[in-house]
Amino acid sequence: MSEQIYQDALARVREIGENAGVNAEVIESLMHPMRTMIASLPVRMDDGSTEYFTAYRCRYNNALGPTKGGIRYHPEVNQPEVQALALWMTIKCAVVGLPYGGGKGGITVDPKKLSRMELERLSRSYVRQMADIISPDRDIPAPDVYTNERIMGWMMDEYEHITRQKAPGVITGKPISLGGSLGRDDATGRGAYMCILELEKKHGWNPSDIKVAVQGFGNGGYHAARLLHERGYKIVAISDSRGGIHSDSGFDVPSIYKEKQRSRQVKAVYCTQSVCEQVEHNTISNEQLLELDVDILIPAALDGVIGKHNVDKIKANYIVEVANGPVLSDVDAILHDKEIHVVPDVLANAGGVTVSYFEWVQNRSGYAWDLDTVQERLGKIMSKSFNEVWDLAKSENRSMRNAAYTLAFRRIGEAVGAHGTRDYFNSSDA
Ligand SMILES: NC(=O)C1=CN([C@@H]2O[C@H](COP(=O)(O)OP(=O)(O)OC[C@H]3O[C@@H](n4cnc5c(N)ncnc54)[C@H](O)[C@@H]3O)[C@@H](O)[C@H]2O)C=CC1
Ligand SMILES: O=C(O)CCC(=O)C(=O)O
């Protein structure tokens, strides 16, 4: 699947790029990752043995600034997937106008099988191997699937040991006590929520009439569901890696979250007394969740979950991509024809990297913002970016993804031109 994901990502860039009116050389440059580093990480396990884990960091394109993007810990992470994710970061940062290029990293590991100490040694080992390419001015990691602020804290600490200086700007999504930003914890879900608020204004929705299904109940999915629930949207389905639950009357998201914290799985919520008393519900699989008759479907877990195999069964009016790459490119046109509108990942989940940018700015200036400032500035960027994409899509009858990519290509193209094309293509390892 992962090799297919990268080829799919390239095909989409080529297809949209060909009619975006951008210099063909710029589109060609996006076909080639600048650099992908692969490393073996030896980790001393608690039983005294040593295990080796394969790790990646891709700096895809730096036309707009230092490369930026999260680090994923997952048993299926591999080079093509990391490259696809880094390409999407390049486009995402350009869509929301951040002064960053795109990067991404990952380790092929099932973190659920490691102890806390093993996880810490693994994370520190990653930084030792990647220390030559990450830095506050070069490549700035952040959290992604199955990584979190604690891991970012260990990584920053290791980097500071290596460089013998304080360097909070080398990584974002850190604990607040180490220079993290207020508001980074829920920024990805909040950014998606802000996109939905824009849709609400355009369509005059009454939130309590709108049914939402959310696949994935982690950092992105949970906060999106929580904020929508607080506004009165009906969250009718929720899932995690082990399956999901469904109820037409909608769930009280905070109590599902509480049960998930206790049991470690959403499905275990099924028929727990506190939830059963509230609402009748049944268990569903992750595949069934995608096919529910809802107004908004929020895939917030992994890539490639909507493709030719199930596109005919998708009934949602809107797909808001909190996950990176949940829809494969070969169904873009089918969804557009069926008038199933997609708010693409490169816009819908850009709240996370936007607040990461705020964190980096705060670290560099040494001045911490309050939560209201973070959220207000996030709101401005999300609303402006959403409307730029929406207006272009409407005025030229494009899908929102096509419009978002077109805007990104124009911005990247302008920067490439300003660098002086020959130099940019010959040496761009800053
Ligand atoms: N954390 C962030 O700031 C950002 C995350 N994203 C994207 O959002 C998606 C989710 O990331 P996070 O929420 O950060 O990860 P997370 O690690 O906090 O949560 C992942 C969630 O997905 C569930 N999951 C895993 N495998 C699944 C499967 N096969 N089917 C259904 N659910 C499954 C997990 O149980 C968990 O609930 C990813 O695609 C990530 O790249 C995008 C932008 C920023
Ligand atoms: O916060 C960041 O810098 C990057 C988050 C990320 O990996 C993503 O947007 O996919």
Side-chain angles (χ1 to χ4, degrees):
M1 174 56 107
S2 296
E3 176 61 40
Q4 187 198 340
I5 283 286
Y6 182 48
Q7 292 309 322
D8 192 77
L10 294 178
R12 186 180 265 153
V13 168
R14 202 178 279 290
E15 194 188 324
I16 300 176
E18 272 168 11
N19 61 28
V22 178
N23 181 333
E25 275 203 328
V26 172
I27 299 303
E28 188 56 34
S29 77
L30 291 171
M31 297 290 127
H32 307 279
M34 208 168 78
R35 170 194 275 205
T36 304
M37 182 141 162
I38 306 177
S40 295
L41 310 183
V43 177
R44 181 76 69 196
M45 307 304 280
D46 290 346
D47 66 4
S49 65
T50 301
E51 274 192 33
Y52 289 81
F53 297 89
T54 310
Y56 307 90
R57 185 75 194 166
C58 173
R59 300 189 64 219
Y60 203 95
N61 180 290
N62 66 350
L64 284 169
T67 46
K68 183 90 189 80
I71 301 173
R72 176 173 293 198
Y73 287 4
H74 195 275
E76 278 153 34
V77 161
N78 57 29
Q79 181 178 356
E81 181 180 53
V82 168
Q83 290 180 175
L85 289 160
L87 168 57
W88 293 328
M89 284 307 304
T90 307
I91 297 167
K92 185 185 309 181
C93 292
V95 168
V96 288
L98 304 181
Y100 287 140
K104 202 84 178 197
I107 305 181
T108 313
V109 60
D110 183 350
K112 293 177 187 167
K113 293 193 177 145
L114 300 191
S115 72
R116 184 179 156 147
M117 291 303 293
E118 289 166 344
L119 203 56
E120 178 170 352
R121 288 194 286 271
L122 176 75
S123 305
R124 289 183 181 278
S125 179
Y126 183 86
V127 172
R128 285 196 296 280
Q129 292 297 328
M130 302 298 173
D132 288 337
I133 63 170
I134 63 173
S135 95
D137 290 307
R138 214 165 187 232
D139 180 38
I140 306 138
D144 191 69
V145 175
Y146 295 151
T147 54
N148 55 24
E149 64 167 40
R150 184 195 292 153
I151 293 174
M152 298 304 112
W154 293 331
M155 288 186 166
M156 184 199 79
D157 183 73
E158 189 66 26
Y159 184 80
E160 291 183 340
H161 274 283
I162 294 167
T163 57
R164 296 192 171 272
Q165 55 191 339
K166 289 289 179 197
V170 71
I171 204 155
T172 60
K174 305 177 290 290
I176 305 292
S177 58
L178 297 182
S181 177
L182 293 171
R184 177 62 184 86
D185 51 354
D186 71 3
T188 302
R190 186 174 290 277
Y193 167 72
M194 287 165 164
C195 290
I196 293 172
L197 291 189
E198 294 297 326
L199 291 174
E200 185 185 304
K201 279 191 236 160
K202 308 242 174 258
H203 294 297
W205 284 341
N206 175 6
S208 62
D209 296 338
I210 305 294
K211 289 186 188 171
V212 185
V214 184
Q215 181 185 66
F217 203 52
N219 179 281
Y222 161 61
H223 287 296
R226 174 181 64 81
L227 291 163
L228 288 168
H229 170 74
E230 280 168 15
R231 192 163 173 86
Y233 283 80
K234 227 189 252 184
I235 311 299
V236 297
I238 296 174
S239 71
D240 64 13
S241 59
R242 300 183 205 192
I245 49 175
H246 171 233
S247 160
D248 261 332
S249 7
F251 292 107
D252 174 56
V253 174
S255 40
I256 306 292
Y257 181 71
K258 213 164 129 202
E259 288 293 333
K260 156 112 179 154
Q261 294 300 96
R262 197 185 51 78
S263 62
R264 313 303 305 161
Q265 48 177 312
V266 162
K267 214 167 136 186
V269 168
Y270 179 55
C271 270
T272 53
Q273 207 184 356
S274 61
V275 179
C276 262
E277 275 167 6
Q278 276 173 36
V279 62
E280 257 187 57
H281 62 286
N282 55 303
T283 58
I284 50 170
S285 67
N286 267 297
E287 291 72 31
Q288 288 170 321
L289 182 143
L290 297 170
E291 297 164 11
L292 290 172
D293 190 0
V294 290
D295 300 288
I296 304 177
L297 172 62
I298 305 187
L302 299 178
D303 38 63
V305 293
I306 299 174
K308 285 225 160 117
H309 61 287
N310 62 356
V311 68
D312 289 341
K313 298 183 196 144
I314 304 295
K315 301 180 195 75
N317 295 326
Y318 271 96
I319 299 173
V320 178
E321 295 184 325
V322 167
N324 284 301
V327 174
L328 292 167
S329 76
D330 54 6
V331 299
D332 283 350
I334 301 174
L335 291 170
H336 190 58
D337 291 347
K338 283 177 75 177
E339 296 191 20
I340 297 178
H341 309 288
V342 179
V343 184
D345 47 7
V346 292
L347 171 65
N349 71 28
V353 69
T354 301
V355 176
S356 275
Y357 165 60
F358 296 162
E359 180 173 331
W360 181 76
V361 169
Q362 292 170 72
N363 293 153
R364 293 167 76 90
S365 68
Y367 180 74
W369 307 352
D370 62 26
L371 184 59
D372 285 349
T373 304
V374 170
Q375 288 179 353
E376 188 198 318
R377 291 181 181 179
L378 173 64
K380 272 193 190 151
I381 290 183
M382 291 309 301
S383 168
K384 177 170 180 278
S385 308
F386 180 94
N387 283 295
E388 282 172 350
V389 169
W390 176 272
D391 291 346
L392 181 63
K394 289 289 159 210
S395 65
E396 298 187 9
N397 189 28
R398 295 164 184 255
S399 68
M400 289 187 77
R401 189 186 321 275
N402 186 307
Y405 273 50
T406 299
L407 286 171
F409 295 158
R410 288 179 188 160
R411 289 169 186 162
I412 294 167
E414 214 172 291
V416 167
H419 274 287
T421 313
R422 197 162 68 97
D423 285 344
Y424 176 75
F425 287 119
N426 284 345
S427 67
S428 55
D429 202 17

